[in-house]
Amino acid sequence: MKKYSSVRVQGDRTPVIVDGARSAFVKSFGVFQSCDTLELYSRVVDGLIRKTDLDPNELDELSCGVVIPQTKNTNIARDAIINLGLPPHIHGYTLNRACTSSLHTVADAVKSVSYGQHQVILAGGVECLSDVPITYSNAARKFLLNLSKARTASAKVKAVSKFSPKDWLPSPPSLSEPLTGFTMGEHAEMMAKINNISREEQDQFALKSHRNAAAAQSSQKFDDEIVTIWTPPRYKDHIESDNMVRSDTSIESLAKLRSVFD
């Protein structure tokens, strides 16, 4: 879950970031496995509104950036407005611009406030890799369309006769760039080789990152920004801290990990 920011206009229309909130960063297929993007986004929006004691009637717009668009919630921002029972005058839009999606919503909010279009905007993004769309082949889609169009029993039998089990093998989720066929991680690997960034340098950077995050976590620097999430389906468990920080990692243990993209 990315960080959210509410932006308020001053007399000179200078955009001001008032506050922010986020859910905990957790591993995929773990505590958030039964959550979807609408659930996570709604909980954090609600948490930020409560945290800032914002009157929802003052809110002009919700904007949400996603890297992996959802087919069931194509406009998560608008769906969250309805899901939370927020005033219907609030605009809600969702955009996709790869890994800069949520940052783009903040940039859009700054422009909107600067031009006087809105006064209070909640901008950010959401991602839930435990709940990504699974696609099927074109042959499977054509089969379902032909079956739905069949009106008579003979037409349905004819459509079913063209059914092939191999057409129903799902395509695994991928963020590959369509023109090259490579993912962002694979492109980053190429960039590292071109710029002579060694595995050892990357491990050192990773070690420093985990140590900094562990220090911030132990000193409770993240506590004020993390919204506690009670997890479905029974809502008996909750999480309020990141579980991806490896405080006990070492350069030796990082060196033993297999390369992900090479």
Side-chain angles (χ1 to χ4, degrees):
M1 191 70 168
K2 305 281 176 97
K3 192 168 183 177
Y4 292 86
S5 303
S6 53
V7 181
R8 185 182 295 272
V9 70
Q10 291 182 333
D12 60 356
R13 294 182 179 173
T14 301
V16 177
I17 296 178
V18 178
D19 210 334
R22 66 177 176 89
S23 70
F25 296 128
V26 301
K27 296 178 181 179
S28 300
F29 306 104
V31 293
F32 286 163
Q33 184 169 357
S34 297
C35 292
D36 59 17
T37 50
L38 178 60
E39 175 88 14
L40 288 177
Y41 183 78
S42 298
R43 296 283 75 78
V44 176
V45 168
D46 179 71
L48 182 54
I49 290 175
R50 293 175 185 275
K51 177 184 177 182
T52 57
D53 198 24
L54 173 67
D55 180 356
N57 289 300
E58 295 183 7
L59 186 59
D60 297 312
E61 183 174 270
L62 255 67
S63 55
C64 180
V66 295
V67 176
I68 306 178
Q70 293 282 320
T71 54
K72 58 184 176 182
N73 299 115
T74 54
N75 188 351
I76 298 174
R78 183 58 186 166
D79 291 344
I81 293 169
I82 298 171
N83 189 35
L84 294 171
L86 297 176
H89 75 269
I90 301 173
H91 296 188
Y93 80 93
T94 302
L95 64 83
N96 168 262
R97 198 174 182 182
C99 289
T100 62
S101 298
S102 59
L103 292 175
H104 195 95
T105 64
V106 176
D108 279 355
V110 169
K111 288 186 288 185
S112 183
V113 170
S114 298
Y115 294 147
Q117 294 175 321
H118 295 305
Q119 289 189 324
V120 182
I121 301 172
L122 194 155
V126 65
E127 214 69 51
C128 185
L129 297 182
S130 301
D131 182 44
V132 296
I134 304 296
T135 59
Y136 288 86
S137 66
N138 286 329
R141 286 193 291 270
K142 289 180 181 178
F143 166 75
L144 287 175
L145 287 173
N146 290 333
L147 186 62
S148 66
K149 293 178 181 178
R151 293 291 180 262
T152 65
S154 60
K156 291 181 183 295
V157 170
K158 184 179 179 180
V160 171
S161 67
K162 297 180 180 180
F163 171 80
S164 175
K166 65 181 179 61
D167 293 337
W168 288 89
L169 292 175
S171 302
S174 175
L175 291 176
S176 58
E177 204 280 327
L179 299 180
T180 64
F182 295 117
T183 64
M184 184 176 289
E186 290 167 327
H187 280 291
E189 188 68 35
M190 296 175 192
M191 183 197 69
K193 290 180 179 179
I194 292 172
N195 292 280
N196 297 314
I197 302 173
S198 67
R199 165 67 187 266
E200 290 73 21
E201 289 177 290
Q202 296 176 61
D203 286 347
Q204 288 287 354
F205 187 91
L207 178 64
K208 183 177 180 181
S209 178
H210 278 287
R211 285 180 174 174
N212 287 343
Q217 196 172 54
S218 63
S219 61
Q220 300 179 326
K221 289 186 176 180
F222 294 145
D223 291 4
D224 185 56
E225 68 183 43
I226 297 179
V227 174
T228 299
I229 304 290
W230 292 84
T231 57
R234 298 186 177 181
Y235 298 95
K236 290 184 177 181
D237 300 316
H238 68 280
I239 184 165
E240 53 191 1
S241 62
D242 305 327
N243 69 7
M244 301 176 68
V245 180
R246 299 179 179 179
S247 58
D248 58 347
T249 193
S250 65
I251 197 65
E252 292 78 16
S253 60
L254 289 172
K256 293 178 182 178
L257 296 175
R258 292 180 57 188
S259 297
V260 178
F261 298 106
D262 192 355

